[in-house]
Amino acid sequence: MHLTPGMKVGLFGGSFNPAHDGHAHVAETAMRRLGLDRVVWLVSPQNPLKSSHEMAPLEERMSSARDMARMVGPNMIVSDVETRMGTQWTVDTLRTLVARHPGVKFVWLMGSDNLAGFHRWRGWTDIMRLMPMAVIARPGSLMDSRSAPAAVRFGRARVPAEQAGLLPSLKAPAWTYIVAPLNPRSSSAIRTARKRSAEDG
């Protein structure tokens, strides 16, 4: 992960179980609207808030993330750095990356479906104060996410979407909510469809 001071870099974490074009949509929208130099897909070894029962092996999820990242363009980086660092919680991963890459302008990226439950993450207020955050609209979560505890608590730190390009250079807490053409794909729907197909076959 070769990052140099001054770069504007989006950090996009997830299980990617599997990665799909909805993830590509979030990454591409963030890249374009925030003027990012890179987007790093942080493939989690195991989301602490999700069951490991249906979790595909890490390399399989890495492969699907690479396939989707390739669709977006050459400035996408797919990384298993969380596994290599041994961090379990996002807040610890982000603190380590900030310490390792001084001068890089990081932005945390997430779909609006994650913002609705963001207040359940360990150290979520620390994440908000560690780096700016961009929330990309996802289907079925628009109203829930806008009234989410994190959105309410940090309401004064919200940056208008039309000023999203300023976000990487702003001091945290600062966040924005970006509405773009919605992509309905989801990992859970893909897993359900695969399971049904296997049962039918």
Side-chain angles (χ1 to χ4, degrees), residues 13-16 42-53 55 61 82-83 86-93 108 114 117-118 120-123 127:
S15 302
F16 302 108
L42 297 170
V43 184
S44 171
Q46 171 60 48
N47 185 330
L49 298 179
K50 293 184 179 180
S51 168
S52 61
H53 179 63
M55 191 67 67
R61 293 182 286 116
E82 281 189 296
T83 298
T87 52
Q88 181 181 14
W89 305 98
T90 296
V91 64
D92 296 326
T93 300
W108 178 245
N114 282 316
F118 186 50
R120 298 189 184 96
W121 294 26
R122 175 176 289 192
I127 294 174

Side-chain angles (χ1 to χ4, degrees), residues 68-84:
M68 288 298 115
R70 223 173 273 124
M71 289 173 50
V72 182
N75 294 320
M76 300 286 116
I77 300 170
V78 176
S79 175
D80 63 350
V81 69
E82 281 189 296
T83 298
R84 289 185 281 110

Side-chain angles (χ1 to χ4, degrees), residues 2-12 30-31 34-40 94 97-109 130-134 164-172 174:
H2 182 63
L3 306 177
T4 57
M7 271 189 175
K8 294 180 284 185
V9 178
L11 298 175
F12 183 28
M31 172 79 76
L34 303 178
L36 301 175
D37 299 304
R38 301 280 189 278
V39 172
V40 180
L94 300 189
L97 290 175
V98 167
R100 285 187 180 183
H101 301 281
V104 172
K105 299 176 181 179
F106 287 116
V107 179
W108 178 245
L109 309 177
L130 183 62
M131 64 181 63
M133 182 171 79
L166 300 175
L167 196 66
S169 299
L170 296 180
K171 184 178 180 180

